[in-house]
Amino acid sequence: QLHLVESGGGLVQPGGSLRLSCAASGFTLDNYDIGWFRRAPGKEREGVSCISSYGGSTNYADSVKGRFTISRDNAKNTVYLQMNSLKPEDTAIYYCAADLTGYGLELHEYSYWGQGTQVTVSS
């Protein structure tokens, strides 16, 4: 059974950094495109970043370009989201998602989802 688990969330001050991890079990991530999404309080879930199966392509939402970096380590079966210069508006539950042909920032492109990790940016 395909299973994704996010970790690395927490409380951070504005301007701080966090690195989120998305670990897979029950399958290897090598062939899967991975997306990171977030749902802020009172808002719809939105795409943040995505990375192609072997890391050759990445994409970012305009709101996080230049601050967030997505990467993957297929040997560790894990995808990361490095978040720098965090802002209060980055506060949200962050989810990772996987699909064999899901590269993109739209929810419907992904079949498998983790349970999410909370990120709170506040002083």
Side-chain angles (χ1 to χ4, degrees):
Q1 184 173 353
L2 279 67
H3 194 50
L4 295 169
V5 178
E6 302 92 340
S7 63
L11 173 64
V12 64
Q13 292 185 342
S17 298
L18 284 174
R19 187 177 79 158
L20 305 184
S21 299
C22 172
S25 62
F27 69 110
T28 57
L29 282 177
D30 299 32
N31 295 326
Y32 287 78
D33 299 318
I34 304 297
W36 280 99
F37 294 79
R38 67 186 181 186
R39 186 176 68 214
K43 294 186 177 181
E44 297 292 319
R45 197 177 300 193
E46 63 175 359
V48 174
S49 183
C50 59
I51 187 167
S52 59
S53 56
Y54 286 92
S57 297
T58 59
N59 196 17
Y60 299 89
D62 288 343
S63 58
V64 306
K65 279 181 182 176
R67 300 188 298 122
F68 290 11
T69 303
I70 191 170
S71 63
R72 64 191 303 156
D73 186 340
N74 287 344
K76 294 183 178 180
N77 221 25
T78 302
V79 174
Y80 303 99
L81 185 68
Q82 178 67 43
M83 307 187 296
N84 299 328
S85 302
L86 282 162
K87 304 175 181 180
E89 51 263 43
D90 295 317
T91 295
I93 301 172
Y94 283 73
Y95 303 87
C96 65
D99 200 280
L100 285 170
T101 57
Y103 182 76
L105 298 179
E106 300 294 329
L107 277 71
H108 66 82
E109 295 176 283
Y110 296 88
S111 300
Y112 307 103
W113 291 81
Q115 293 300 307
T117 185
Q118 175 71 48
V119 172
T120 303
V121 184
S122 175
S123 55

